[in-house]
């Protein structure tokens, strides 16, 4: 198991964001990487909805800045993120199978916005997949009710899993507004998880208006298709 020292150089990681490969985002992938760097974010987890194509491309172009991920909409209509994966997991895969497939790839099972209505996993599904979870999102920049983030932190601490954070950016303005600061780590899932256990969350809520931007992106893509 990888180990890291809690002291020493620390890096900032935005663990949850999107590019135009997501159905509700228009952000160019290269622009996302550049905006993150400009805001002092060292690494980003590119977690497009049900896609990894752009994440893989960006990883090849910016190997020291990108972690490949996917936000899978499961059969239960809740989201599960896989980090450090190399194969896409199809939309509609059951949550338990999604977690198993992430682990089979050597990836990190990361549960985003677990208590958000309509897309969070909630207590019932967490009870079902909790034994497979590596990390939980303790602060999501688009979840505007602080209590929902606090419930996620409490669940993570109770179950001894790592706690992460991400902007959930669907626009360039949101990139890097929320991140986790961790000890510098080698680019591997084991090392990242070990570092995440020494993480400090820095969270800033985005404006409610960002949801309008996502709605516009959906409509724009529908009409452009």
């Amino acid at each position: 198991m990888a180990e890291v020292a809690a002291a020493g150089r620390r890096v900032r990681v935005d663990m949850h964001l999107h590019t135009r490969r997501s159905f509700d985002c228009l952000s160019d992938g290269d622009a996302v990487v550049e905006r993150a760097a400009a805001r002092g974010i060292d690494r980003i987890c590119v977690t497009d909805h049900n896609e990894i194509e752009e994440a893989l491309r960006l990883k090849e172009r910016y190997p020291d800045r990108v972690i490949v991920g996917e936000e899978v909409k499961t059969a239960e209509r809740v989201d599960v993120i896989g980090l450090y994966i190399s194969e896409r997991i199809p939309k509609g895969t059951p949550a338990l199978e999604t977690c198993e497939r992430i682990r089979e790839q050597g990836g990190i099972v990361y549960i985003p916005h677990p208590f958000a209505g309509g897309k969070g996993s909630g207590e019932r599904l967490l009870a079902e997949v909790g034994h497979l979870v590596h990390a939980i999102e303790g602060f999501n920049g688009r979840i505007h009710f602080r209590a929902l983030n606090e419930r996620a932190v409490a669940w993570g601490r109770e179950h001894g899993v790592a706690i992460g954070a991400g902007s959930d950016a669907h626009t360039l303005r949101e990139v890097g507004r929320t991140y986790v600061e961790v000890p510098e780590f080698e680019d591997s899932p084991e090392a990242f998880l070990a570092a995440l256990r020494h993480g400090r969350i820095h969270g800033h809520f985005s404006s409610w208006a960002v949801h309008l931007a996502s709605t516009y992106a959906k409509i724009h893509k529908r009409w452009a298709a």
Side-chain angles (χ1 to χ4, degrees), residues 15-16 18 47 49 70-72 74 78-82 102 109-116 119-122 126 133 135-140 143 148-149 152 164-166 168:
M15 292 181 62
H16 182 179
H18 298 266
T47 56
H49 294 294
E70 178 189 0
E71 186 170 17
V72 183
T74 69
V78 301
D79 297 322
V80 173
I81 287 177
I102 293 168
V109 177
Y110 182 45
I111 304 297
H113 42 63
F115 298 106
K119 60 182 179 179
S121 54
L126 281 174
V133 172
I136 195 165
E137 189 172 61
F139 198 108
N140 178 295
I143 302 301
L148 298 180
N149 284 321
D168 198 359

Side-chain angles (χ1 to χ4, degrees), residues 103-201:
R103 281 178 164 263
E104 286 169 3
Q105 295 185 48
I108 294 172
V109 177
Y110 182 45
I111 304 297
H113 42 63
F115 298 106
K119 60 182 179 179
S121 54
E123 293 284 2
R124 181 181 62 80
L125 269 175
L126 281 174
E128 180 182 351
V129 305
H131 63 291
L132 297 173
V133 172
H134 293 107
I136 195 165
E137 189 172 61
F139 198 108
N140 178 295
R142 280 192 162 209
I143 302 301
H144 301 283
F145 299 101
R146 189 174 299 274
L148 298 180
N149 284 321
E150 291 172 348
R151 284 181 67 188
V153 171
W155 190 93
R157 289 175 176 166
E158 179 183 353
H159 293 82
V161 304
I163 299 172
S167 63
D168 198 359
H170 287 66
T171 64
L172 292 178
R173 180 173 294 185
E174 299 169 77
V175 173
R177 286 184 56 80
T178 295
Y179 59 90
V180 60
E181 186 181 62
V182 300
E184 189 171 23
F185 59 95
E186 294 181 359
D187 190 17
S188 73
E190 297 83 9
F192 182 38
L193 264 181
L196 197 55
R197 293 190 177 277
H198 298 281
R200 294 198 294 261
I201 290 174

Side-chain angles (χ1 to χ4, degrees), residues 48-66:
D48 283 322
H49 294 294
N50 311 303
E51 291 286 349
I52 64 169
E53 182 178 330
E54 181 69 352
L56 290 171
R57 184 188 74 82
L58 292 172
K59 178 64 175 178
E60 184 174 354
R61 185 165 187 183
Y62 309 97
D64 297 329
R65 289 197 169 273
V66 172

Side-chain angles (χ1 to χ4, degrees), residues 18-21 25-29 31-32 54 169-172 175:
H18 298 266
T19 77
R20 62 187 176 189
R21 290 295 297 178
C25 177
L26 298 174
S27 300
D28 175 78
V32 169
E54 181 69 352
H170 287 66
T171 64
L172 292 178
V175 173

